[in-house]
Amino acid sequence: MARRPRPVLWLLGAGLLCVLPGAGAANLQQKIESNRERLQSIHSSLGALQAHVAASQKTQAEIRAEIAALDQKIQASTQKLAKIRAEQQATRSKIDALEKRIAQLQSELAQQKDILAKQLRAAYTLGSLTPLAVWLQTEKPAQIGRLSVYYQALARARSELITRTEATTAAIAEQRNALKAQEQHLTRLAQAVRTQEQTLEQQRQQHAQLEQQLADRIAADKAKIQELQANARVLDGLVTRLVQEYRQQQEAIAAARRKAAAEAAARAAAQRKAAEEAAARRRAEEARRAQQVEREARAAQVPPPTTHITPPQIATVPAVPATPPPAAPTPALPAVGHGPFPPPVRAPIGARFGTPRMQGGPNWQGITFSAAPGTAVSAIAPGMVLYSGPLRGYGQIVIVQQAEKVLAIYGHLGQSDVHVGQEVQTGTAIGTVGSGGELGQDGLYFEIRSGGHPVNPLQYIHN
């Protein structure tokens, strides 16, 4: 399994500080932009390679199904081979019985031929005399009846023996034909046994290959599961750091507001004190002038002229409370989940939250949309972009802070159209749908984190 290059992890470690707007964020943003093209090229190449490997490899379930089917074929082949061998054995038994029967018939035929030969020799010894000739030549007429019966019995015996000999010869020929047929059948059975043994050996070799493929697939799936778990840990670490930095940013903003309020109160107090001191000086000066006029009038013993003194206009200084009023709270962003929000893309949902992955490993922490590459992806609610860039196992991702503790993660993007620190509104273009990658297919990965923990995105968007 290919590993992603170290620059991705370097960017993850060095580029996380770019989540806050300001001078430091701008510098880090420039670093991200300078490495974005190279990282995007690496990620695209690795994503395409992973998609190709995933498409060319069989799953464990497919291999196990093939092994089960092959086991059935091997079992059937073994049964067929046993049946052929049993038939072969039965054929050999028939051949042995036929050979014994042929031997018995040949023995009977030899006996019949021997008897027939003796009869023929006896007939030859008598010569060609007919029974009438024997009767005319004999000196003992009483023997004529006996000789006649003898000749008739001898003729019948010879005829029957010839018939049996012919039947035995035909039976031997028939048995030989049956023996030949059984021998041919035995030859075919032997060929069938050899063919079935070859088929069985091929099936066993194929079975061994499938077992090896299964072992390799299990090892590859274990490695893939470990990689998915590592990717999930990387994303968890990124989300944790982003949440901490967002909180630090909010605390810094609150501290700056408190400091500004304290400085404004101090300036107001100083202005109030200066106004009071100026008013006191003016009153003292007016009293001094009145005393001087009275002294001069007494010295001249002349009644002092009536002088209409117009009191000076003293500027009214508005009262400033000792402690500044509390700063108006920052208007809260829309609370995601309290109403229907549009989905990031209009496409069917593939993998759902909490369902197991086909190759194993951690369950899906978000959902996937089966959208075509290049489809526009939109923000589901207002917020601020905390991260925009590549992340191992998730391709190009964009993380948007939508509420105080709610993050939206748009993953497997083909490209991102926003930058860190950018304020987005509902419907703002986030980027486009990518292809391949960890999903193994085209589509968008969408995740919602509440308080740093994954939650079901369908609770925040309407499908």
Side-chain angles (χ1 to χ4, degrees), residues 205-337:
Q205 292 178 359
Q206 186 179 1
H207 189 279
Q209 293 175 356
L210 288 175
E211 289 285 354
Q212 184 62 40
Q213 289 181 11
L214 179 60
D216 295 341
R217 181 67 259 182
I218 291 174
D221 287 344
K222 287 182 178 178
K224 182 63 176 177
I225 290 172
Q226 293 176 355
E227 182 179 2
L228 291 175
Q229 292 172 344
N231 294 341
R233 287 193 295 269
V234 170
L235 181 58
D236 290 340
L238 174 61
V239 169
T240 300
R241 296 186 65 172
L242 290 176
V243 170
Q244 291 176 352
E245 291 172 359
Y246 180 78
R247 290 177 180 174
Q248 293 173 359
Q249 179 192 26
Q250 296 300 106
E251 292 174 358
I253 292 174
R257 288 176 177 172
R258 289 193 297 270
K259 182 179 179 181
E263 291 176 351
R267 287 193 299 269
Q271 292 175 358
R272 185 174 62 255
K273 182 178 180 180
E276 291 175 352
E277 291 177 351
R281 286 193 298 271
R282 285 193 294 271
R283 288 193 298 270
E285 180 65 23
E286 291 173 356
R288 185 185 63 80
R289 289 179 179 177
Q291 291 175 359
Q292 183 179 0
V293 169
E294 184 178 356
R295 284 195 300 269
E296 290 177 354
R298 288 177 181 176
Q301 295 182 353
V302 176
T306 302
T307 304
H308 299 280
I309 300 175
T310 303
Q313 297 293 330
I314 300 175
T316 302
V317 179
V320 179
T323 57
T330 304
L333 294 176
V336 179

Side-chain angles (χ1 to χ4, degrees), residues 408-422:
I409 301 174
Y410 306 82
H412 292 287
L413 299 174
Q415 67 177 26
S416 59
D417 298 334
V418 293
H419 59 271
V420 173
Q422 178 179 343

Side-chain angles (χ1 to χ4, degrees), residues 349-366:
I349 294 178
R352 292 182 175 268
F353 176 80
T355 58
R357 300 172 186 259
M358 293 183 62
Q359 65 270 36
N363 294 341
W364 285 103
Q365 296 183 344

Side-chain angles (χ1 to χ4, degrees), residues 104-116:
Q104 181 181 0
L105 291 174
Q106 287 177 342
S107 176
E108 293 178 359
L109 181 62
Q111 293 177 1
Q112 293 170 359
K113 287 182 178 180
D114 183 60
I115 295 172
L116 183 61

Side-chain angles (χ1 to χ4, degrees), residues 86 128 166 194 222 248 272 274 380-381 411:
S128 57
E166 291 176 349
R194 288 192 295 270
K222 287 182 178 178
Q248 293 173 359
R272 185 174 62 255
I380 67 168

